Amino acid sequence: MGYNIIDILNKGIDVSTKRKAIFEVIGQKNCDIPSIKIMSTVLGKQVDRTIKYYKELKMEITPEECDEIDFVIYDKISFLINEFSSRLYVPEIDNIRDFLRFSLNLEKDLYSLLVNIQGRLVKNTNAEHTKTYQTLTKAIKNVSSHIETLKDLLK
């Protein structure tokens, strides 16, 4: 059996788990700044909801709906996800605005990654009707809503 959207969602869960760990470390390093401590908890819970959402998306997909992803395309997608994951780091944060900016930029980078992945999977005009494309569209909308929330907090 080849690769499919479930493999991509599993990688998304792994990246989200790493993001949550970053938020936890930032909260622990800045436990003397209540606003950062609280925001790290809030953002960690948001990542938990994202992980739960990815797991729910996986449950929605039946084996018959799984479009097989060409190995060469999957290999490139896997490389992009691994590269994104390897660039995740714990920044030096000392105020809430910097933390929110960092989180916003992280979400924007994730959004770009998902759009890039979706674009690589488009082979023809019927691609938007595949379960893979629809699932990625849902994941992109989820990240987009996180971006809007963070933008609102930074106003």
Side-chain angles (χ1 to χ4, degrees):
M1 183 175 165
Y3 297 102
N4 58 45
I5 187 62
I6 292 175
D7 297 303
I8 294 173
L9 289 171
N10 285 334
K11 285 191 167 289
I13 290 169
D14 293 342
V15 168
S16 294
T17 301
K18 192 169 181 179
R19 288 175 43 229
K20 181 178 180 187
I22 289 169
F23 293 143
E24 289 172 347
V25 169
I26 290 171
Q28 291 167 358
K29 284 175 116 179
N30 295 284
C31 61
D32 57 328
I33 305 172
S35 58
I36 292 177
K37 180 72 176 157
I38 291 168
M39 188 55 66
S40 70
T41 302
V42 169
L43 292 172
K45 287 181 180 182
Q46 182 60 47
V47 172
D48 284 338
R49 285 189 290 274
T50 297
I51 291 170
K52 181 180 177 200
Y53 183 67
Y54 287 164
K55 288 179 179 179
E56 289 170 358
L57 287 175
K58 284 174 38 177
M59 299 300 290
E60 289 178 7
I61 301 168
T62 64
E64 300 83 36
E65 294 176 311
C66 280
D67 308 309
E68 190 170 315
I69 300 171
D70 178 81
F71 175 76
V72 174
I73 294 171
Y74 181 79
D75 187 50
K76 183 61 177 173
I77 290 169
S78 181
F79 174 79
L80 291 171
I81 294 170
N82 290 339
E83 185 178 274
F84 176 84
S85 183
S86 71
R87 287 185 295 141
L88 294 177
Y89 66 98
V90 179
E92 290 299 319
I93 301 285
D94 59 3
N95 65 66
I96 190 66
R97 290 202 64 78
D98 286 346
F99 187 30
L100 290 172
R101 277 189 215 103
F102 166 76
S103 301
L104 176 61
N105 289 331
L106 185 58
E107 289 296 322
K108 286 179 176 180
D109 290 344
L110 181 58
Y111 178 87
S112 297
L113 174 66
L114 291 173
V115 169
N116 188 341
I117 290 169
Q118 188 180 45
R120 290 175 187 278
L121 293 171
V122 174
K123 294 179 186 172
N124 58 48
T125 56
N126 291 330
E128 65 188 43
H129 301 293
T130 65
K131 192 65 171 182
T132 300
Y133 188 91
Q134 293 169 354
T135 302
L136 283 169
T137 299
K138 290 177 183 178
I140 290 167
K141 286 181 182 175
N142 187 47
V143 172
S144 181
S145 72
H146 297 169
I147 289 170
E148 292 307 314
T149 300
L150 288 168
K151 282 180 179 179
D152 288 345
L153 288 172
L154 280 165
K155 286 184 180 178

